[in-house]
Amino acid sequence: MSWETVIGIEVHVELSTESKVFCGCKTRFGARPNTQVCPVCLGMPGVLPVLNRKAVEYCMKAALALNCEVSGRTKFDRKNYFYPDLPKAYQISQYDMPIGKNGWMDVEVDGKAKRIGIRRVHLEEETGKLVHAGDDITSAESSMIDFNRCGIPLIEIVSEADMRSADEARAYLVKLRSILLAIGVSDCKMEEGSMRCEANVSIRPEGSTEFGALTEMKNIASFKAVYKAIEFESKRQAKVLESGGRVRRETRHWDDLKSETVFMRSKEQAHDYRYFPEPDLVPLEIDRAWTDRVKDTIPELPDQRKARYVADYGLGQRESSLISDDMDLSTYFEKGIEAGAEAKALANWMTGELAAALNASGTEISSSKAGPAEMAELLGMVAKNEISGKTAKEVFAEVFAKGGSPRKMVEAMGLGQISGEEELRKAAVAVIDANPGPSADYIAGKENAIMFLVGQLMKATKGRANPKMANQLLKQELDGRKKNL
Amino acid sequence: MGIGRDEVMRIAELARLEFGEEDAAKYAKELDLILGYVAKLEEVGTEGKEALTHAQELVNVMRDDVPVEGLSQEQALMNAPARKGEFFLVPRIMDNSDED
């Protein structure tokens, strides 16, 4: 049977405000444990939270950038549960009146556009961070807690279950990150945990309109892991169903080292959070004027960037969205152009050679040794016919592996094109003399024979000849001999 | 309506309270009385009325995003039942019910 995978994604993003959402504590990452805390975020008795205006505006900004309706009247709610990273034993969140709802985002996968619904965007507080003491999580006798993170503003972005493949899920996340970075509300660092995602995955027979039982996957720490986890999980579910089993509604943990999901807890004993309106905070009223003011602060978003790349640089639709949907690719592209690279050639390399090398080595483009400046230098040499396309690829591979200046690499390796006409003419004469048959064919009128000779000349010069010039010189030489016959 | 023993036990579990069967029966009765008292509210017509989410009429009480000094690490940890170096110490977490 052929199965269709259905995916919904929840993303949590820490907002980059200076202070926490309900108290004035600093939010700096990497501070010594428990040094950015106060009675409010430690959950001491008798304290009162006061809402950070900027956190609200950042949440509104994210909601607006995701085409959400921004609520007129909203409020905060208590989500009650016991866990040591939550000193109050409840989290201030938003339950039934999120700041943003009913939005959407367009992604492009394999040249096909797809609209993904955004169910809601709401504001809540971050929890503390648990550090497990002892040898490892399972043998640890106790856990240590750092409350610096507790109370940092967090937004939760919930998509509709509109994605149908791991590729679409990845495209959604890449573009979401790109949008959030563009509007400057978060640094979206997955490695520092300021952006985290959970994927809800279910499968159903192709053509079916009903949803299957879903599993929720946690501990996904990179976009690559999202992709792998969804691929693994949909195959696992298919295997369960095909062997006559039933997919259980449960939470699973992604083990990145083993590349598999493992059972964490059953969803059937669902939590009862007993949400109720937060009595310590008054309601929030967001009027049209405030919404408009926040809207005015939204800069160019990936979709507009895409249109600009097409209009200003003549890029194709597909490569344009490939680059513009990804903030890191866009930054690379624009820095490359600033460094003098020709836009189309740069885009070609970025979506071709560079993308392949990054993929094969598992490197992020932001840490590529062949950076935008190096790429611009390399492409500049190609444009000026100083090196051939083939040489450029060799040089690129070297620069990608070791770093350094492409120009210096070309000089050191003696890969520069033979630009001196005399030098190349000498080589051309040698090629003609060494290949009397094809040379005679050309002179006799078989013009195609020139191709063979050009090939020989390129070989003789180890690809360092400019093919156009090689062609020209060979023709000149042979035409001269023809006249002298 | 009527709150039964099972519901009392469930609420007890959610609130991390521990008591015996005898107390459960007592609390069931008491909770029932409270709910019965509040049930009078259901007689009031609320059709078409927006739910009141706060007793105050205030809205939009906010502060600017300006950091202020909090507690020192020593102050923060001084009331901790247990600590380890710079951290609060809690018993080993048994289940994995981490949430966001």
Side-chain angles (χ1 to χ4, degrees):
Chain A
M1 183 179 296
S2 174
W3 302 98
E4 179 180 61
T5 307
V6 177
I7 306 152
I9 290 184
E10 281 174 32
V11 173
H12 284 91
V13 184
E14 283 179 8
L15 300 179
S16 40
T17 51
E18 296 291 319
S19 65
K20 293 186 178 180
V21 60
F22 298 122
C23 62
C25 289
K26 294 193 193 97
T27 55
R28 196 165 57 85
F29 182 80
R32 296 207 70 87
N34 297 304
T35 55
Q36 297 180 161
V37 293
C38 75
V40 175
C41 57
L42 286 176
M44 302 279 187
V47 296
L48 285 174
V50 187
L51 184 59
N52 181 336
R53 182 182 294 104
K54 187 160 233 172
V56 175
E57 292 185 343
Y58 276 5
C59 182
M60 289 166 67
K61 205 169 171 181
L64 289 166
L66 294 169
N67 304 297
C68 287
E69 300 159 18
V70 170
S71 223
R73 194 180 174 92
T74 177
K75 65 173 167 80
F76 290 89
D77 301 278
R78 285 191 185 179
K79 178 181 181 179
N80 300 279
Y81 66 93
F82 288 95
Y83 202 66
D85 62 5
L86 196 66
K88 300 193 296 295
Y90 60 84
Q91 179 192 32
I92 303 179
S93 179
Q94 295 191 288
Y95 180 53
D96 55 346
M97 296 166 92
I99 286 178
K101 55 177 192 280
N102 302 330
W104 50 265
M105 180 214 290
D106 287 334
V107 296
E108 204 168 304
V109 174
D110 294 331
K112 266 186 277 171
K114 166 115 191 208
R115 180 156 291 187
I116 314 284
I118 308 284
R119 188 177 299 166
R120 57 187 285 157
V121 178
H122 77 245
L123 181 60
E124 60 187 26
E125 57 182 339
E126 176 72 288
T127 61
K129 196 172 174 163
L130 278 169
V131 182
H132 297 281
D135 301 335
D136 59 64
I137 295 180
T138 44
S139 71
E141 293 284 304
S142 50
S143 299
M144 305 188 293
I145 308 175
D146 172 9
F147 284 115
N148 284 350
R149 200 180 73 174
C150 191
I152 288 178
L154 197 66
I155 53 172
E156 181 175 319
I157 301 161
V158 185
S159 85
E160 296 291 349
D162 285 345
M163 286 154 275
R164 295 291 177 268
S165 68
D167 279 308
E168 286 182 9
R170 183 164 54 188
Y172 169 77
L173 287 167
V174 165
K175 188 158 182 182
L176 178 61
R177 178 169 178 271
S178 181
I179 291 172
L180 296 171
L181 286 172
I183 60 176
V185 299
S186 173
D187 60 11
C188 296
K189 287 185 181 163
M190 290 191 90
E191 67 281 10
E192 287 180 6
S194 62
M195 178 174 186
R196 308 190 288 271
C197 62
E198 291 155 28
N200 291 320
V201 177
S202 65
I203 62 168
R204 61 185 178 189
E206 197 89 54
S208 164
T209 51
E210 275 166 42
F211 292 110
L214 64 83
T215 57
E216 179 181 335
M217 278 178 298
K218 290 191 174 259
N219 190 43
I220 304 176
S222 69
F223 290 163
K224 205 166 283 171
V226 173
Y227 184 87
K228 286 200 289 189
I230 291 170
E231 288 274 282
F232 176 89
E233 185 58 18
S234 49
K235 283 192 192 115
R236 187 193 68 84
Q237 292 184 10
K239 223 179 276 172
V240 169
L241 292 176
E242 278 160 13
S243 61
R246 178 174 81 89
V247 173
R248 289 193 177 76
R249 200 176 148 81
E250 62 195 21
T251 302
R252 299 180 68 86
H253 177 94
W254 171 247
D255 185 330
D256 206 39
L257 286 177
K258 291 188 189 148
S259 276
E260 61 181 29
T261 62
V262 288
F263 175 78
M264 220 167 113
R265 66 168 177 265
S266 168
K267 273 254 170 191
E268 273 151 11
Q269 50 202 43
H271 277 112
D272 181 348
Y273 294 119
R274 293 153 296 145
Y275 282 99
F276 63 86
E278 169 58 82
D280 289 346
L281 291 164
V282 297
L284 194 59
E285 238 168 41
I286 300 172
D287 61 13
R288 187 63 185 271
W290 192 11
T291 309
D292 286 346
R293 275 202 306 281
V294 172
K295 210 181 241 171
D296 284 344
T297 64
I298 295 178
E300 182 187 63
L301 295 176
D303 284 342
Q304 293 148 329
R305 194 155 61 211
K306 175 187 169 184
R308 181 164 61 87
Y309 288 173
V310 172
D312 292 4
Y313 302 125
L315 300 193
Q317 295 285 341
R318 196 169 163 178
E319 57 187 351
S320 180
S321 44
L322 250 166
I323 296 172
S324 65
D325 282 358
D326 186 318
M327 191 67 189
D328 293 335
L329 289 177
S330 303
T331 306
Y332 189 99
F333 180 69
E334 295 189 12
K335 277 193 183 155
I337 286 177
E338 241 169 70
E342 196 273 314
K344 268 187 158 171
L346 179 60
N348 272 337
W349 275 78
M350 284 178 64
T351 52
E353 216 73 21
L354 178 62
L358 290 169
N359 239 335
S361 62
T363 318
E364 297 292 330
I365 192 163
S366 50
S367 51
S368 165
K369 285 183 179 146
E374 288 76 26
M375 200 56 104
E377 192 175 292
L378 184 69
L379 295 178
M381 284 189 285
V382 177
K384 285 187 207 129
N385 278 326
E386 292 169 16
I387 54 171
S388 66
K390 187 170 161 264
T391 304
K393 285 185 184 172
E394 286 169 34
V395 175
F396 168 78
E398 283 293 306
V399 175
F400 186 84
K402 299 176 190 151
S405 150
R407 181 169 294 283
K408 285 193 183 132
M409 186 98 43
V410 167
E411 283 161 10
M413 293 162 76
L415 289 170
Q417 284 199 9
I418 301 169
S419 49
E421 199 179 308
E422 273 325 295
E423 197 185 343
L424 194 55
R425 190 181 299 277
K426 251 184 238 166
V429 170
V431 164
I432 290 169
D433 291 344
N435 297 281
S439 300
D441 284 349
Y442 177 84
I443 291 171
K446 281 193 190 163
E447 296 215 341
N448 276 340
I450 197 79
M451 295 317 294
F452 174 79
L453 295 168
V454 170
Q456 291 303 303
L457 183 50
M458 294 306 291
K459 206 167 151 189
T461 56
K462 298 196 174 92
R464 291 166 55 227
N466 174 348
K468 230 186 201 164
M469 202 165 158
N471 190 306
Q472 240 169 30
L473 288 174
L474 281 165
K475 276 188 181 164
Q476 274 176 20
E477 197 57 35
L478 288 166
D479 289 344
R481 290 187 188 194
K482 195 173 175 180
K483 257 187 227 158
N484 292 337
L485 274 180
Chain B
M1 60 183 114
I3 290 230
R5 179 238 168 227
D6 288 351
E7 191 150 9
V8 168
M9 292 316 265
R10 177 165 161 67
I11 295 167
E13 199 199 321
L14 288 170
R16 302 293 190 273
L17 294 173
E18 210 171 15
F19 44 75
E21 285 294 333
E22 214 170 288
D23 282 334
K26 190 176 103 191
Y27 294 140
K29 210 180 282 167
E30 286 180 5
L31 284 171
D32 233 14
L33 278 171
I34 295 169
L35 285 183
Y37 176 70
V38 182
K40 254 203 161 24
L41 287 174
E42 287 182 1
E43 295 165 15
V44 184
T46 52
E47 196 76 24
K49 291 247 165 45
E50 215 177 297
L52 186 70
T53 56
H54 204 278
Q56 289 275 353
E57 284 194 16
L58 286 170
V59 293
N60 297 8
V61 176
M62 286 174 277
R63 43 171 267 272
D64 290 335
D65 182 29
V66 180
V68 292
E69 241 4 90
L71 299 173
S72 70
Q73 190 186 56
E74 210 36 56
Q75 285 173 319
L77 290 164
M78 67 187 279
N79 289 328
R83 59 182 281 188
K84 183 171 184 178
E86 306 180 279
F87 295 91
F88 289 85
L89 198 66
V90 294
R92 179 184 157 187
I93 312 304
M94 294 301 288
D95 71 334
N96 282 313
S97 58
D98 64 318
E99 293 294 333
D100 289 297

